[in-house]
Amino acid sequence: MSVRAQLSHDILGAIGGVPRPPTDVVVEATDVHKWFGRLHVLKGVSMTVRRQEVVVIIGASGSGKTTFIRCINHLEKIQQGRIFVNGHLIGYREVNGRLVEDREQNIARQRQEIGMVFQRFNLFPHMTALGNIIEAPIRVRGVPEAEAIETGRALLARVGLSAKENAYPAQLSGGQQQRVAIARALAMKPALMLFDEPTSALDPEMIGEVLEVMKELAREGMTMIVVTHEMGFAREVADRVVMMDDGQIIEEGTPEHFFTSPTHERTKAFLSKIL
């Protein structure tokens, strides 16, 4: 098996050599609430995402989309509800029916199963493209450097950047930096990829190259939750589209449903402004 084929197999198969649970549910969020001070940002959000499913979350700014996916890998703490990824309660332990925040070591281990790509690229400016990709596998997973480099080069090829392995972020376009960020997330062989408006900081001509990488991941069976305003991507790739408003899920369905016959008035109003 080639390095590239093995890489796809590893990413979509076992995590770090440990067999995945037999369930096909990757994310199970139940009655999730989040406050920032007195501001109630998430108001009982529940969502199930199955293996190899692509879920696109849409909604106006401030609707809770980004906060929700940040809660999935415990970048934001929840105050009520439960979030499981691959059967593991994320960020907390249950003690007598109450949530108690888990140890940071356990949370870090859980995050290894979850890749996240942000609006801003968050690359280390002092590291090359390849250096950014191999850093976490070496330091967090303990992957031997030679193996990490081989995998990193295969990932750069996968996102069309083989020629840029020695380039620093400042020498790359926004689209290229975002593709490196995707490769960096994939290097940890996650069970789930989260995308938080990954094209919002890009010039229009660079958006397509990032979306094409994401479409390829979807075709290969990566489980993905994508917050985006790219409705063309949602139409083409999503298995399910979810509309959030005021911290709640108000409608969900197939792309065909959303773009031909949405039922909620808020969904209709939102789509009329962006389509």
Side-chain angles (χ1 to χ4, degrees), residues 111-201:
R111 286 194 182 122
Q112 293 179 27
E113 300 188 14
I114 307 168
M116 186 160 185
V117 178
F118 301 87
Q119 296 179 38
R120 298 291 173 177
F121 322 121
N122 291 344
L123 298 178
F124 298 118
H126 63 290
M127 293 183 180
T128 64
L130 182 60
N132 267 277
I133 293 169
I134 68 176
E135 177 74 1
I138 292 173
R139 291 189 177 274
V140 178
R141 285 203 181 278
V143 175
E145 183 175 355
E147 180 183 335
I149 289 172
E150 184 179 19
T151 299
R153 285 175 172 156
L155 282 166
L156 281 170
R158 187 177 183 185
V159 299
L161 292 174
S162 290
K164 299 294 185 179
E165 71 169 70
N166 293 317
Y168 289 88
Q171 298 170 313
L172 300 172
S173 70
Q176 290 170 335
Q177 289 186 62
Q178 194 62 294
R179 283 186 280 159
V180 172
I182 293 172
R184 179 178 62 180
L186 290 174
M188 293 295 285
K189 301 178 182 177
L192 169 70
M193 284 287 287
L194 306 174
F195 293 87
D196 180 19
E197 298 191 27
T199 60
S200 65

Side-chain angles (χ1 to χ4, degrees), residues 7-18 20 26 51-52 73 85-86 109-117 136-137 141 151 155 158 181-195 217 220-224:
L7 181 62
S8 293
H9 177 270
D10 288 347
I11 289 172
L12 301 176
I15 302 170
V18 179
R20 292 177 172 171
V26 176
R51 200 165 311 286
Q52 300 188 355
N73 65 355
V85 175
N86 265 359
R109 188 181 306 115
Q110 292 171 340
R111 286 194 182 122
Q112 293 179 27
E113 300 188 14
I114 307 168
M116 186 160 185
V117 178
R141 285 203 181 278
T151 299
L155 282 166
R158 187 177 183 185
I182 293 172
R184 179 178 62 180
L186 290 174
M188 293 295 285
K189 301 178 182 177
L192 169 70
M193 284 287 287
L194 306 174
F195 293 87
L217 287 176
E220 292 177 359
M222 174 61 72
T223 308
M224 299 161 60

